[in-house]
């Protein structure tokens, strides 16, 4: 058995692509499964060495080129897929793909048409199987109408359908599987969530936390508007005005565009005794220790993407058995519904609502701590990078 991982989105040691590739490579190495990982040409050399990655792609799924204010997404769809197609053809010439399980773990519509054209050009040997992991938002509206995003997925799927025997489509939830199944008119499987916390939990050395007088609420991840970072100061003020036994830990990690927002929060935190900060990117061990050391995880997310898509931080917190505070009308809220003692769904998307949810957890913390511990057992029995790898390998071609 051989596995070929294709990830043109990997360039640096941060974000979704990095976390997935790191976990996938660790599991393949643990199982002693031979693999090759082809990534973007701009990957940092140290990261390429660490993962055994091979720089190959000029195509990058998030680089946009069109300046047309009316049809930029449409233009980019065709130009990006053209680049992906050409790079994949070159990959066929550079690497032996015969008999391999080829995995594209973030197969968006900016690449799917190029993949379909590659298959039509016989770029992938018939002895190989292609696993396409679809992202968590299809663009299909609740009414069944197609947004531009969903329309472009439909266009790509119309070309992919001719190769139904060679491809396996998979996504994260039943809802997403139904939506992509409608757009593709092909079977879409629900896979285990590829939670990289599984590897850390398996290998970690447990540390007993000393008792402390305050409940620690953690915000971690990107300091962006979509994550609700701009609401944190008001949430902290409101919660701390009611109870003195609550404190906050906030990770300050963002792109250059977030610097002003981060600086403003740093000034706020320095003036308070109930707020500590963790500056910048932290490695895997440090990140999971932040979650393990917290009493609850705060997710004041604002983006509409979370109505149908989950959050990696949410999944990792649930996997590690931590109570969570989540926004209403989101997939995270839906996942909490069967586990009422696991966390609190805020009544709204404003700071007062999130502060109220924090206080609700602190007011009855033993119940929520026990509920989250029980839910963690369910998440660990169902998900994890180890279970995801087993799921993938079960779809490898028989050689």
């Amino acid at each position: 058995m051989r596995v070929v991982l294709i990830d043109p989105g990997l360039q640096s040691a941060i974000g979704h692509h990095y976390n997935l590739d790191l976990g996938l490579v660790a599991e393949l190495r643990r199982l002693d499964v031979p693999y090759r990982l082809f990534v973007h040409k701009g990957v940092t050399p140290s990261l390429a060495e660490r993962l055994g990655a091979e720089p190959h792609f000029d195509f990058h799924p998030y680089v946009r080129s069109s300046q047309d204010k009316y049809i930029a997404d449409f233009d980019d769809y065709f130009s990006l897929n053209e680049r992906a197609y050409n790079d994949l053809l070159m990959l066929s010439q550079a690497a032996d793909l015969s008999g391999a399980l080829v995995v594209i773990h973030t197969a968006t519509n900016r690449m799917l048409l190029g993949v379909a054209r590659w298959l039509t050009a016989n770029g992938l040997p018939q002895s190989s199987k292609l696993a396409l992991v679809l992202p968590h938002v299809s663009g299909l509206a609740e009414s069944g109408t197609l947004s531009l995003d969903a329309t472009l997925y439909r266009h790509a799927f119309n070309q992919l359908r001719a190769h139904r025997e060679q491809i396996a489509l998979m996504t994260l939830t039943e809802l997403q599987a139904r939506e992509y199944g409608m757009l593709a008119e092909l079977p879409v499987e629900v896979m285990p969530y590829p939670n990289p916390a599984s590897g850390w939990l398996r290998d970690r050395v447990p540390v007993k936390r000393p008792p402390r007088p305050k409940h620690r609420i953690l915000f971690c991840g990107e300091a962006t508007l979509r994550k609700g970072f701009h609401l944190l100061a008001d949430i902290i003020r409101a919660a701390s005005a009611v109870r003195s036994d609550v404190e906050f830990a906030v990770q300050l990690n963002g792109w250059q565009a977030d610097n002003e927002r981060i600086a403003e929060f740093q000034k706020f935190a320095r003036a308070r005794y109930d707020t500590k900060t963790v500056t910048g990117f932290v490695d895997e061990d440090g990140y999971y220790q932040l979650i393990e050391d917290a009493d609850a995880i705060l997710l004041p997310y604002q983006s509409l993407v979370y109505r149908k898509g989950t959050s990696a931080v949410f999944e990792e917190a649930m996997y590690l058995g931590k109570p969570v505070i989540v926004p209403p009308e989101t997939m995270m809220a839906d996942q909490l519904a069967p586990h009422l003692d696991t966390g609190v769904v805020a009544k709204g998307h404003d700071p007062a609502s999130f502060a109220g949810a924090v206080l609700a957890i602190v007011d009855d913390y033993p119940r929520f701590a026990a509920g989250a511990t029980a839910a963690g057992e369910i998440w660990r029995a169902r998900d994890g990078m180890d279970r995801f790898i087993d799921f993938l390998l079960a779809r490898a071609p028989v050689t």
Side-chain angles (χ1 to χ4, degrees):
M1 179 186 298
R2 295 186 305 119
V3 173
V4 175
L5 304 173
I6 293 178
D7 185 10
L10 181 70
Q11 285 186 283
S12 61
I14 186 172
H16 159 79
H17 291 268
Y18 166 71
N19 289 324
L20 263 174
D21 290 331
L22 186 70
L24 286 167
V25 165
E27 290 300 322
L28 291 170
R29 287 172 173 171
R30 183 177 69 87
L31 296 172
D32 201 26
V33 174
Y35 75 92
R36 295 182 75 176
L37 168 60
F38 295 96
V39 301
H40 193 270
K41 285 183 177 178
V43 66
T44 56
S46 60
L47 179 57
E49 181 179 2
R50 180 182 181 186
L51 297 180
E54 302 175 55
H56 173 80
F57 285 89
D58 284 316
F59 160 79
H60 191 284
Y62 309 127
V63 173
R64 316 301 289 271
S65 58
S66 177
Q67 302 301 314
D68 191 304
K69 63 182 180 180
Y70 297 110
I71 59 169
D73 288 342
F74 189 75
D75 281 347
D76 285 334
Y77 169 73
F78 284 104
S79 64
L80 288 171
N81 273 289
E82 180 71 20
R83 291 184 203 173
Y85 169 63
N86 290 328
D87 284 351
L88 287 168
L89 283 181
M90 292 175 63
L91 181 63
S92 299
Q93 299 168 6
D96 178 14
L97 304 178
S98 59
L101 172 65
V102 180
V103 180
I104 302 177
H105 65 59
T106 309
T108 72
N109 56 20
R110 298 169 191 169
M111 188 178 188
L112 281 175
L113 181 61
V115 169
R117 292 180 58 198
W118 178 53
L119 295 175
T120 300
N122 296 315
L124 186 65
Q126 288 298 313
S127 61
S128 302
K129 188 81 175 227
L130 177 62
L132 297 171
V133 180
L134 301 168
H136 60 221
V137 178
S138 70
L140 192 66
E142 292 179 5
S143 63
T145 57
L146 272 64
S147 66
L148 177 58
D149 234 18
T151 300
L152 298 178
Y153 273 113
R154 175 70 176 186
H155 183 265
F157 283 135
N158 285 347
Q159 310 305 311
L160 270 174
R161 209 172 299 123
H163 308 284
R164 67 178 68 226
E165 300 302 324
Q166 200 173 10
I167 63 176
L169 302 178
M170 56 197 71
T171 192
L172 292 169
T173 68
E174 293 285 354
L175 172 61
Q176 293 156 13
R178 289 196 301 272
E179 291 188 355
Y180 281 117
M182 192 200 91
L183 292 171
E185 296 182 17
L186 292 169
V188 180
E189 298 181 274
V190 178
M191 66 190 203
Y193 188 93
N195 198 323
S198 59
W200 178 81
L201 192 62
R202 181 182 61 234
D203 300 334
R204 77 181 176 112
V205 177
V207 177
K208 188 174 181 180
R209 190 184 78 184
R212 60 180 175 229
K214 295 186 177 185
H215 295 286
R216 180 169 296 171
I217 312 300
L218 171 68
F219 174 96
C220 57
E222 297 172 357
T224 58
L225 297 175
R226 71 196 296 262
K227 302 285 189 180
F229 183 88
H230 59 297
L231 305 179
L232 289 178
D234 286 338
I235 294 171
I236 292 169
R237 288 189 189 99
S240 298
V242 177
R243 295 192 62 137
S244 60
D245 60 345
V246 61
E247 64 182 16
F248 292 83
V250 176
Q251 184 183 13
L252 305 177
N253 183 41
W255 307 100
Q256 185 173 356
D258 306 312
N259 285 346
E260 183 177 345
R261 192 178 307 116
I262 289 173
E264 184 179 346
F265 187 86
Q266 283 178 314
K267 182 178 179 181
F268 164 82
R270 282 195 293 265
R272 300 185 68 91
Y273 294 103
D274 59 0
T275 305
K276 63 171 288 188
T277 58
V278 178
T279 302
F281 174 76
V282 293
D283 63 16
E284 303 79 56
D285 186 56
Y287 170 72
Y288 290 119
Q289 283 186 29
L290 281 175
I291 295 178
E292 188 175 52
D293 190 46
D295 294 304
I297 312 301
L298 173 61
L299 303 155
Y301 294 176
Q302 300 290 297
S303 174
L304 293 177
V305 72
Y306 295 108
R307 289 190 177 180
K308 294 187 178 182
T310 189
S311 151
V313 177
F314 170 82
E315 295 292 342
E316 288 152 356
M318 296 298 292
Y319 194 93
L320 296 176
K322 292 295 177 177
V324 292
I325 298 104
V326 304
E329 300 175 339
T330 59
M331 182 171 287
M332 293 173 282
D334 292 342
Q335 290 189 72
L336 281 190
H339 311 281
L340 296 178
D341 295 339
T342 300
V344 174
V345 179
K347 293 181 179 179
H349 292 85
D350 57 292
S353 294
F354 285 110
V358 169
L359 294 171
I361 282 188
V362 174
D363 287 344
D364 199 3
Y365 189 74
R367 174 168 72 92
F368 286 108
T373 297
E377 295 179 1
I378 296 171
W379 256 251
R380 291 190 293 275
R382 183 188 64 202
D383 296 325
M385 191 65 73
D386 49 355
R387 297 183 186 278
F388 177 56
I389 281 288
D390 290 343
F391 180 90
L392 283 175
L393 295 182
R395 282 140 189 83
V398 178
T399 57

